[in-house]
Amino acid sequence: GKSSGPAGKNLKLGCLAISERMVQWIKEGLTPLGYNVEIVMFDANQLPAVALKDGNVDGIIANHRQWMQTFNKENNCNLEMVQPYLFRSFYAIYSLKYKKVADIPQNAQIVIPGDPTNLSRSLIILREAGLITLKDKTGHFYTVLDIKDNPKKIKLIEAEITHTARSIQDADAVIATAYHISAKTKIDPRDVVFEDPQNKDYPLGLIVRSEDVNSAWVKEAVKIYRSEQYRAKFNEVYKGQYFLFD
Amino acid sequence: MITARNLTKSFGDTHVLRGLDVHIERGGIYGLAGRSGAGKSTLLRCINGLERYDSGSLIVDGIDVKTLSGKAMMAFRKNIGMVFQHFSLLERLNVYDNVALPLRCWKYKSAFIDRKVRDLLEIVGIPEKIRQRPRELSGGQKQRVAIARALTMDPHILLCDEATSALDPKTSKAIIDLLKQINGQMEITIVFVTHQMSVIRGLCKEIAIIENGKVAVSGTVEDVFRQQPGALKNLIGEGDAGPGGEGMKTITLLLPREIAGPLIARMAVQLGCDLTIQGGDPLLSGEDPEGLTISFPEKDRLGVEGYLAGHNVAWKDADTQNTRSSDRVDAYGKAYETQVPGIRPDLL
Amino acid sequence: MITARNLTKSFGDTHVLRGLDVHIERGGIYGLAGRSGAGKSTLLRCINGLERYDSGSLIVDGIDVKTLSGKAMMAFRKNIGMVFQHFSLLERLNVYDNVALPLRCWKYKSAFIDRKVRDLLEIVGIPEKIRQRPRELSGGQKQRVAIARALTMDPHILLCDEATSALDPKTSKAIIDLLKQINGQMEITIVFVTHQMSVIRGLCKEIAIIENGKVAVSGTVEDVFRQQPGALKNLIGEGDAGPGGEGMKTITLLLPREIAGPLIARMAVQLGCDLTIQGGDPLLSGEDPEGLTISFPEKDRLGVEGYLAGHNVAWKDADTQNTRSSDRVDAYGKAYETQVPGIRPDLL
Amino acid sequence: MIPDGYWAYWWRYFDGIIAPSIGATLRMLSVSMLFSFIGGFILAYFLILYGPQGLRPDRSKYRVLDFMVSSIRSFPIIILIVAISPITRMVVGTTIGERAAILPLTVAATPFMARIIENSLRGVDRQLIEAARSFGASDFQIIMKVMVKESVPMIVAGTTLATITYLAATTVAGAVGAGGLGAVALNYGYQSFNNTVLYTSVMILFIMVLIIQRVGDWLYKKIL
Amino acid sequence: MIPDGYWAYWWRYFDGIIAPSIGATLRMLSVSMLFSFIGGFILAYFLILYGPQGLRPDRSKYRVLDFMVSSIRSFPIIILIVAISPITRMVVGTTIGERAAILPLTVAATPFMARIIENSLRGVDRQLIEAARSFGASDFQIIMKVMVKESVPMIVAGTTLATITYLAATTVAGAVGAGGLGAVALNYGYQSFNNTVLYTSVMILFIMVLIIQRVGDWLYKKIL
Ligand SMILES: Nc1ncnc2c1ncn2[C@@H]1O[C@H](COP(=O)(O)OP(=O)(O)OP(=O)(O)O)[C@@H](O)[C@H]1O
Ligand SMILES: Nc1ncnc2c1ncn2[C@@H]1O[C@H](COP(=O)(O)OP(=O)(O)OP(=O)(O)O)[C@@H](O)[C@H]1O
Ligand SMILES: [Mg+2]
Ligand SMILES: [Mg+2]
């Protein structure tokens, strides 16, 4: 950091609505160690990463690693996700009407997240589920332009990520995270139509600038989120929604 | 038709009407005069209920205006046309649509509206401006549109607030003739607020002068102008130099009654003017006042003076107390002897 | 001061000014009259550059208005006050601020502004309305605010567009006296548009009547009213019944010249009226026209008729061709013999 | 400067993603502006009728209206979408897609339009209202034939303003899967690090704004 | 009905999250409205000066201004935030937080205010402008002392409208981590499916809207 560098033990940590608690617990752990931590909450988009890159915050828990790598490429920067990673989300196809992928009818409406990484990920889920096939990726992400075959003529509706779960009543199926599904609906998040096989490939965790990876506070932070206490709290709050890495 | 009793109306601290009484007969043309700010417009606006009055009563066509509201008020107003002092034309409608507006509101057939509007614009003399917007009209043209609009509904009562103030004399006369004509044909009651005395004299049958929020004088136009009460003088100023200088003039002939009487009679006939003999001048003499005091409309003053000068008769002006026509007249009784020879019996 | 040459101005198809020529002297009070819609307001607005004219020239104070713009135009207008026909007061400013506005724009000291504004409001007679908004004023009060505003800058030229139309006669007279006074004291040139003939006669020295976009008549007020040109008749209507009925009257005395001459002279003095001897009546006789034709202001008609009746003189009305005062007069030359005894030398 | 194949690349996005979203934007905008104009007009009618300086002042009725208008305006539009989603489902049958976005957009724009129209109507000279009263016009006629008539230019200018404001607001419609240029600019452009898409869609938005403004100004001038 | 401990739960969110965001909202709103009013006023001044029916019509200057105003208005605010972030960094020194949110909010609101003020000024009676011209007022004075003076009520009403509009828009400030009620409603409420927070913050927004509207109406009435 430039002005509010970790040397001064003043830290700014960025988060999203979903990760606010996780950062909060880290803050609670760092404070007794003499760190002065401020939490900045962002809407879900690339601004937390931009802020991190610019030195306006010192660490974020917001985006998954895949996205971070793209961001690095696009912005010629070196953000790094601290290992061990913290958690992963659980994506799946959910539906109120159908139990199996095979049941999904012709011309079905499937609501998928519209932001690029999740859209890309959703397209892969659909491909893995055998509903569509994809061409070669042209950009960083798959887009609907990359769909090659769509035998069931499935209609994809790109919505805001939380809205996918909200609209489950109105669609034939949605692609959503366990977190959103369990928060908004009474569905058991494990009651999936099709689980995303890539779930493990999208780790989330504390992202910092690469030069800070070995700094003292990061080490402390890792210690904190690897602690049993932290894990217990996490599992209590996000049980069945997000999954810690072992 | 319109009766106000003890009408009061204030705007905050400004007491505009303070117990005004007025009675306007059906079918009459009633003039309202008064100094600027006297409350004439306010009274008009009370009559058609645009302004609520504070106390007293105001009965129009048998109904107290204050009791009206909603549909009844609308129906009431339908029969009352009003020409506003500021015209109040809709800027975004052309002349045709402005005049047609009341008819449209009362859902007349469009063929009827068309005929009516064109007729009225013809009458007020601006048929060629039919498609113009108010902003493209001169002041007088706007006023005529306002007059036309007030007449569209064939109202029973027409309230005119200085409806000819922006018009040239000829157009003004044409409008006045029009008002007289519709008043005669259709028994419309017209209340006409104006500062133009000539309009009052030319148009109105009765008049009220508003002063201090009350009617200071009212009566027929002739009576008021003949008696020339203080309120009238307040309005048009002393002397006769003022614009539209009007009023009554009073003089005393400095002649024995037996001569003065026939002279006056003869003069009245020859001049065709309205002379009133008021009797002897109480100021002039003690027990047996001699001479005769007459009054006559201001407009006839020069005629009278010319006649008297022609007969070498001296007289005394009641307003100025100056004597005229003879330098040697210093007191009544000494003067007339020199005059009598000048009055040849064959001229009387 | 103000010279318009061949001025033209159209609004689209409406040709308002069509080659108007007018010359207004410095320090004069110039009346502009004309039928409603004649282009009076348009001319005024051209004079201070509010409206661009199409062709011709308009030189005000040595400068062609058309050449002005920006700062020069502002400085030019600073010296020209204008009373608008529609007052054009700012609704959201009170009377004080409305009148003070020009001074504020020219950055006068506030103590000066305060004194000036209060003085002016005193003069126009509405000091008690100083904190009122225009919406709370009567029509005449608004007009007086507009007059006060036009006077704040002590303009060299004052353009008044029907500036007394909403005022009662007394207030109107006071304003006119005020204008006369400032005209006398400060050499202000005043251009006064009005429909009130009495105002023109009471205020203006010269007058122009606009007809068909041109000046139909212009000259001193006396000349114009004496000659009573067609344009004047068009404006005020035929006859004298019209409001403010004005004009000139022409009659021929049915008397030999040697008697008529002294009679006329004497009459002029005694009536204090403006008689003009026009010469013999060419219609009356062949080779040697007898009798004298005189003309005099319409307002003196009754005086003259009274005087003539008093002297038993017969006359002939030029307009109506009727003879008056003697039933037996059928032709000139036979009548006067019976009259001559009636004219006693001691009365001449 | 421009690399080979750039236009093919551009065209691929334009044709596949941007072009359809133009239609979506226009449909959402025009339908929601139409309905919100009607709704706003009706609300403004009653606000003017019952307002404190209105034709028939009625404190309690005005309060209710004012309350309604203010309460809707206090919802950030994305939250409004959620808050009225049961109604949306009832009315439109779904809470996703273009048609589902139109209702919340309309609901959001209606009180805005109501205020715009109310403000315009409030500007009408009271003398004109009196003149209309003097010949017995009803309150309805006074509003429709006098106040509305006289303030049409103001209303046109206000509607232009509102239309441009809600053009940007259609971006939010992307949240419910309605697409539209704003959402494309956001998701396919900005978030996907794709400047081509980003600037193309912003450029198209800009052209739309210009056209709306020009049409509005032209109407204003024509109508004045 | 209300479960035990609900109020404690509510208080936890209110005290910890909602209450601080009220201050943030008020600060962002007031500062950005202040600056955008000033900026909008200046723009409106020139729009009115050079506009087609303006005091000193100048087609090309007007085009430039119109272009500027329209182009800013065509950016969805979230994209505007990104587009001007280099400027934000230069001016504010950071691109996150409350202070960094104020600049884009101001930039977004400025052309809106400009149009609001322009529309108000356009409504001024031309006769009054002429009257001012007749005593030699400069264009600046005509605009400031006549047009602005006369349209103050309209401008007040328009500013009320704009303030309420941008109160909702501060929601977007959440994107740059500036907090505020809208962001709380969105992040802690909507995205976290927490209806308590959602409706509490909307309720507070509603109260703010009511207050702004009341103050605006009161000013309007007082000033009329
Ligand atoms: N809305 C108002 N608020 C306060 N005072 C008012 C209001 N309307 C009128 N007045 C005052 O009431 C008085 C009477 O006004 P009104 O318009 O009736 O006069 P008027 O006789 O028509 O005068 P004018 O001949 O000048 O038109 C004036 O002194 C005026 O200032
Ligand atoms: N902006 C305009 N557009 C079109 N025609 C106009 C415009 N302004 C004035 N006119 C026309 O020009 C003519 C002259 O108008 P002007 O106002 O000069 O008349 P005026 O002599 O002042 O009449 P009045 O005595 O009635 O005030 C009128 O016929 C009017 O209709
Ligand atoms: Mg009046
Ligand atoms: Mg005029």
Side-chain angles (χ1 to χ4, degrees), chain B residues 139, chain C residues 41 85 161:
Chain C
S41 303
Q85 195 168 8
D161 203 349

mmCIF file of all heavy atoms in Angstrom, chain B residues 139, chain C residues 41 85 161, ligand 4:
data_model
loop_
_atom_site.group_PDB
_atom_site.id
_atom_site.type_symbol
_atom_site.label_atom_id
_atom_site.label_comp_id
_atom_site.label_asym_id
_atom_site.label_seq_id
_atom_site.Cartn_x
_atom_site.Cartn_y
_atom_site.Cartn_z
ATOM 1 N N GLY B 139 -52.446 45.302 -28.328
ATOM 2 C CA GLY B 139 -53.216 45.391 -27.094
ATOM 3 C C GLY B 139 -54.722 45.470 -27.346
ATOM 4 O O GLY B 139 -55.504 44.747 -26.732
ATOM 5 N N SER C 41 -47.408 50.423 -31.115
ATOM 6 C CA SER C 41 -46.490 49.740 -30.201
ATOM 7 C C SER C 41 -45.274 49.237 -30.962
ATOM 8 O O SER C 41 -44.147 49.298 -30.467
ATOM 9 C CB SER C 41 -47.194 48.560 -29.531
ATOM 10 O OG SER C 41 -48.338 49.002 -28.852
ATOM 11 N N GLN C 85 -47.280 48.635 -22.724
ATOM 12 C CA GLN C 85 -48.739 48.547 -22.714
ATOM 13 C C GLN C 85 -49.213 47.496 -21.715
ATOM 14 O O GLN C 85 -50.250 47.641 -21.102
ATOM 15 C CB GLN C 85 -49.194 48.198 -24.141
ATOM 16 C CG GLN C 85 -50.657 48.407 -24.386
ATOM 17 C CD GLN C 85 -50.997 48.340 -25.869
ATOM 18 O OE1 GLN C 85 -50.165 48.004 -26.704
ATOM 19 N NE2 GLN C 85 -52.240 48.643 -26.199
ATOM 20 N N ASP C 161 -46.422 53.660 -23.820
ATOM 21 C CA ASP C 161 -47.418 52.952 -24.608
ATOM 22 C C ASP C 161 -48.714 52.886 -23.814
ATOM 23 O O ASP C 161 -48.880 52.041 -22.942
ATOM 24 C CB ASP C 161 -46.901 51.547 -24.945
ATOM 25 C CG ASP C 161 -47.578 50.993 -26.178
ATOM 26 O OD1 ASP C 161 -48.571 51.596 -26.623
ATOM 27 O OD2 ASP C 161 -47.120 49.958 -26.687
HETATM 28 MG MG MG F 4 -50.205 48.803 -28.762
#
